[in-house]
């Protein structure tokens, strides 16, 4: 084996060892996200390498890991924001120009989806550049990291698209009052449409400040909101 092969083998072993020892795991005892090695509640986590972010990506809020582990949100969006990479691993049996165009056309939808998650994260994620990779890309692009400063000029880069939209202000007590008014026991799409129509006709509090583009939608900590 050549020196490069030996170096790749050692790097692969080290990365595998780090992932096994330091993968983030949901600990049900205290509902905290800690490395796998810290198996006891209140235990000291094992030392994490300084360049751990180059393997796992930037640290995300624990609530986002919680949503992923419960299957509420796909891992694709948080992974792209953490690592700065979006990899399309699927490859058709017959490679066509239409398939490449499709991946390029969905970039806009991906930016909107990333923005829906990034707007609730630290400001450093709002304008984060994400490197798109696919099977037809050159080896320089496929082997590059999202954090690299010398990314090839022909690489496909996307960023989260954050739109403020309507400034909904949802409060738990307001939801309960509306459920009593409609005579329903659950919140569904029909309930939301009827609530919005009633508030629009009566100029209710739900409509106040709804077009204020300087702020995002808000809700309180109540379970019903």
């Amino acid at each position: 084996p050549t020196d490069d092969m030996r170096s790749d083998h050692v790097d692969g072993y080290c990365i595998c060892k780090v992932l096994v020892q330091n993968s983030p795991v949901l600990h049900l005892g205290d509902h905290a996200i800690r490395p796998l090695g810290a198996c006891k509640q209140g235990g000291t986590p094992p030392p994490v390498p300084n360049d751990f972010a180059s393997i796992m990506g930037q640290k995300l809020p624990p609530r986002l890991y919680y949503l992923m582990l419960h299957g509420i949100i796909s891992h694709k969006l948080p992974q792209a924001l953490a690592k700065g990479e979006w990899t399309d691993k699927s490859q058709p049996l017959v490679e066509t120009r239409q398939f490449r165009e499709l991946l390029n056309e969905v970039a806009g939808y991906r930016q909107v989806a990333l923005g829906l998650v990034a707007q609730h994260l630290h400001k450093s994620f709002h304008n984060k550049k994400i490197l798109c990779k696919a099977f037809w890309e050159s080896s320089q692009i496929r082997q590059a990291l999202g954090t690299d400063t010398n990314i090839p000029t022909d690489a496909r880069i996307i960023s989260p698209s954050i739109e403020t939209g309507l400034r909904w202000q949802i409060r738990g007590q307001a939801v309960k009052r509306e459920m009593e008014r409609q005579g329903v026991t659950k919140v569904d799409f029909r309930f939301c449409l009827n609530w919005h129509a009633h508030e629009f006709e009566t100029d209710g509090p739900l409509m106040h400040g709804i077009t204020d583009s300087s702020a995002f939608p808000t809700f309180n900590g109540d379970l019903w909101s």
Side-chain angles (χ1 to χ4, degrees):
T2 63
D3 292 340
D4 291 339
M5 295 174 61
R6 283 194 289 265
S7 178
D8 291 341
H9 179 78
V10 173
D11 289 343
Y13 169 80
C14 294
I15 292 175
C16 181
K17 180 179 179 181
V18 169
L19 290 175
V20 170
Q21 292 182 342
N22 302 109
S23 292
V25 175
L26 172 63
H27 294 258
L28 297 177
D30 49 0
H31 296 283
I33 303 295
R34 297 194 304 272
L36 178 62
C39 56
K40 296 182 179 179
Q41 183 175 354
T44 302
V48 178
N50 294 330
D51 57 349
F52 185 64
S54 62
I55 302 174
M56 186 63 65
Q58 289 180 274
K59 184 179 179 181
L60 300 173
R63 60 182 179 271
L64 194 52
Y65 291 110
Y66 188 85
L67 293 176
M68 283 191 292
L69 292 172
H70 280 75
I72 299 176
I73 185 174
S74 169
H75 71 280
K76 196 71 175 181
L77 297 174
Q79 182 183 39
L81 290 169
K83 294 201 65 178
E85 301 174 9
W86 190 304
T87 303
D88 289 296
K89 298 181 179 179
S90 59
Q91 181 175 355
L93 296 177
V94 179
E95 203 275 304
T96 61
R97 177 172 56 86
Q98 287 80 1
F99 186 80
R100 297 191 182 191
E101 292 177 351
L102 174 63
L103 291 183
N104 290 325
E105 291 172 356
V106 299
Y109 296 100
R110 290 175 173 178
Q111 288 180 295
V112 173
L114 290 168
L116 293 174
V117 178
Q119 66 181 350
H120 301 289
L121 304 179
H122 189 267
K123 291 183 178 180
S124 61
F125 291 96
H126 291 184
N127 300 313
K128 186 166 185 177
K129 294 182 179 181
I130 298 174
L131 174 64
C132 296
K133 300 180 180 180
F135 62 90
W136 72 78
E137 311 279 8
S138 64
S139 59
Q140 290 181 331
I141 295 178
R142 285 187 281 108
Q143 296 176 2
L145 299 177
T147 55
D148 290 347
T149 57
N150 56 345
I151 297 177
T153 56
D154 58 337
R156 295 177 296 129
I157 305 294
I158 61 175
S159 297
S161 177
I162 300 179
E163 303 290 340
T164 54
L166 297 177
R167 188 190 176 210
W168 299 106
Q169 300 182 65
I170 309 299
R171 300 292 180 265
Q173 290 298 328
V175 176
K176 292 179 181 179
R177 288 195 299 267
E178 182 61 21
M179 293 177 68
E180 293 178 359
R181 188 190 71 83
Q182 295 189 27
V184 298
T185 59
K186 65 179 182 179
V187 175
D188 53 16
F189 189 56
R190 181 178 181 181
F191 167 83
C192 296
L193 291 177
N194 289 333
W195 187 13
H196 176 266
H198 178 264
E199 292 289 302
F200 179 77
E201 294 174 355
T202 60
D203 194 23
L206 189 66
M207 307 302 296
H208 296 169
I210 195 173
T211 58
D212 183 7
S213 60
S214 62
F216 291 101
T218 60
F219 58 92
N220 57 13
D222 192 293
L223 177 63
W224 291 96
S225 65

